[in-house]
Amino acid sequence: MQMQRTNWPTWVGGLFLGMLSSLGQIADLAWQVGVGLRSGVWRLRLVARQVAMIGYGSQLVVVVTGAFTGAVFAFQSYAKFKTYGLESSVGAIVSVALCRELAPVLTGLMVSGRVGAAMAADIGTMKVTEQIDALRVMGVHPVDYLVLPRFLAMILSMPLLVAESIAFGLMAAYALIVHGFDVPHAWFWQHTVDHTELLDVGIGMFKGLAFGIIITLVSCHQGLMAENGAVGVGRGTTRAVVFSSLTILVSNFFLSIALDYVSPMGGD
């Protein structure tokens, strides 16, 4: 029996149209969230509950990720810089790398795995059990009730989580380089302070804000699109994590280029 050929143009076209459709649906969801923001009905109790789940609940993940990322990056930098007698510059390198790239990206990826999956699973379960339809029957807009509180909680929590990741990363780097490799304390902090600007920290927190918006919109969209029972919920949860992570990595590239015009890496 002759093997059926794969129609590659059809497959690529279908993939492109599917991505375009998903982007349109996410854009429509973002528009509905914006309308909900302007309405002023924010359900602050639900927002506070989500802040506790997203912000407080992600503390351990963020602290461990930030600390060990800062420590291992400091170790690798020290191993190379020692050859050139630049051990005291390790603090500056670690600080700028954490602020601009490592802390926001890794925090975004960890939060997408923990919080994004939970969002998609919660909303997806409500969708397949027809609880969202019940909200509509009662005159409650599902986006205002389910998505908007999570959106507000995420934009409040993510910049703070990124700042926390930066802080613990620097503390771990300091402990390793100063107490582990006997680099003078004054040199370490002098180079760190001289080469780290407030804009560097601001860039990291802004990226955290952008990644938080991406995680919320992608994850809630996957939850709202869930169907076919438990299998659909599981598929939506997996897609939420994968799509959020990939979008964070791709958008980080373009954000880094755009923000470099605001605060160039090399300075003036």
Side-chain angles (χ1 to χ4, degrees), residues 19-35 217-218 221:
M19 292 175 58
L20 199 62
S21 175
S22 296
L23 288 175
Q25 293 168 5
I26 292 174
D28 180 66
L29 179 61
W31 174 262
Q32 295 182 55
V33 169
V35 172
L217 293 178
V218 173
H221 169 257

Side-chain angles (χ1 to χ4, degrees), residues 104-238:
V105 172
L106 293 178
T107 300
L109 293 176
M110 298 303 293
V111 171
S112 71
R114 181 189 176 276
V115 178
M119 286 183 182
D122 290 344
I123 297 177
T125 301
M126 295 183 69
K127 172 69 182 303
V128 299
T129 56
E130 300 181 351
Q131 296 180 53
I132 292 180
D133 294 333
L135 288 175
R136 291 193 176 97
V137 170
M138 293 186 293
V140 178
H141 197 292
V143 172
D144 291 349
Y145 188 81
L146 297 175
V147 181
L148 185 58
R150 289 171 168 83
F151 181 86
L152 292 172
M154 187 67 86
I155 64 176
L156 288 173
S157 301
M158 274 298 290
L160 298 178
L161 290 174
V162 170
E164 185 178 34
S165 180
I166 294 171
F168 277 90
L170 278 176
M171 286 190 289
Y174 170 83
L176 179 67
I177 299 302
V178 174
H179 298 291
F181 295 119
D182 296 326
V183 173
H185 160 87
W187 288 6
F188 181 92
W189 282 119
Q190 186 64 43
H191 282 279
T192 301
V193 172
D194 286 347
H195 294 88
T196 306
E197 301 178 358
L198 189 60
L199 267 175
D200 294 326
V201 180
I203 284 174
M205 296 179 71
F206 177 79
K207 282 187 175 183
L209 174 65
F211 297 158
I213 293 173
I214 289 171
I215 293 168
T216 305
L217 293 178
V218 173
S219 300
C220 291
H221 169 257
Q222 289 298 324
L224 292 170
M225 294 295 106
E227 54 186 13
N228 298 330
V231 175
V233 174
R235 186 182 297 114
T237 301
T238 302

Side-chain angles (χ1 to χ4, degrees), residues 65-66 69-70 73 92-110 158 161-163 165-166 196 199-209 211 247-261 263-265:
T65 301
T69 299
F73 191 71
I93 297 296
V94 172
S95 176
V96 173
L98 282 172
C99 291
R100 285 180 171 260
E101 298 296 335
L102 295 177
V105 172
L106 293 178
T107 300
L109 293 176
M110 298 303 293
M158 274 298 290
L161 290 174
V162 170
S165 180
I166 294 171
T196 306
L199 267 175
D200 294 326
V201 180
I203 284 174
M205 296 179 71
F206 177 79
K207 282 187 175 183
L209 174 65
F211 297 158
T247 307
I248 285 172
L249 293 173
V250 173
S251 62
N252 178 65
F253 172 75
F254 295 102
L255 277 174
S256 297
I257 294 175
L259 293 173
D260 190 64
Y261 287 99
S263 176
M265 181 73 74

Side-chain angles (χ1 to χ4, degrees), residues 1-49:
M1 186 173 65
Q2 186 176 3
M3 187 181 250
Q4 184 178 3
R5 295 183 186 176
T6 302
N7 193 337
W8 289 105
T10 302
W11 181 83
V12 173
L15 181 63
F16 175 76
L17 290 176
M19 292 175 58
L20 199 62
S21 175
S22 296
L23 288 175
Q25 293 168 5
I26 292 174
D28 180 66
L29 179 61
W31 174 262
Q32 295 182 55
V33 169
V35 172
L37 284 172
R38 290 193 296 271
S39 70
V41 183
W42 292 357
R43 294 180 171 85
L44 296 181
R45 182 174 297 180
L46 293 178
V47 174
R49 188 181 304 167

